[in-house]
Amino acid sequence: MSNYLVAMEAAWLVRDVEDVDDAIGVAVSEAGKRLNDQDKEYVEVEVGVTPCPACGEPFDSAFIAADTALVGLLLEIEVFNADGENHATRIAKSEVGGALRDVPLSVIEVIETDDEEAA
């Protein structure tokens, strides 16, 4: 049994916003509130990054059209005592997906961690 850090990307829709900073703030706040309401305070929430197609430089994952934003959020959760990467992925998606119903989730990275890092 091993411990894993599972990173997931979530697509969060924010309505009635005028700029990217407001959209990011609302998305992170709403996601955090929904996770906290389900006692999932241990899930880290931050804005994701997307590489620029022209230069490759990273920028915040947020796009606004018609006062509606799509914000890519990065969610990280530590999974303890999993049988492998697939098991850790299923646990993470179940934990986070249960609190964020109807929010598309995609696992982007799974890293096995040492026991000392988890403490």
Side-chain angles (χ1 to χ4, degrees):
M1 297 273 218
S2 298
N3 301 330
Y4 295 89
L5 178 66
V6 180
M8 293 176 283
E9 185 176 49
W12 200 274
L13 196 62
V14 181
R15 298 182 191 284
D16 299 324
V17 291
E18 294 181 8
D19 68 25
V20 171
D21 291 334
D22 287 344
I24 290 170
V26 169
V28 170
S29 176
E30 287 179 354
K33 182 179 182 329
R34 284 177 58 182
L35 288 162
N36 290 341
D37 287 348
Q38 297 291 318
D39 296 324
K40 309 273 190 242
E41 296 89 7
Y42 47 86
V43 178
E44 294 291 325
V45 180
E46 57 189 55
V47 66
V49 293
T50 301
C52 173
C55 66
E57 288 294 316
F59 62 91
D60 291 340
S61 292
F63 177 76
I64 296 179
D67 294 333
T68 302
L70 178 62
V71 179
L73 296 178
L74 176 64
L75 308 170
E76 291 183 340
I77 181 173
E78 182 79 27
V79 177
F80 300 99
N81 299 322
D83 290 329
E85 286 188 15
N86 289 337
H87 187 221
T89 297
R90 288 194 309 272
I91 292 169
K93 286 181 93 171
S94 174
E95 285 287 307
V96 174
L100 302 180
R101 297 216 180 272
D102 301 323
V103 175
L105 293 174
S106 176
V107 174
I108 55 175
E109 189 172 23
V110 180
I111 301 170
E112 187 172 359
T113 58
D114 295 333
D115 289 334
E116 291 111 30
E117 288 180 17

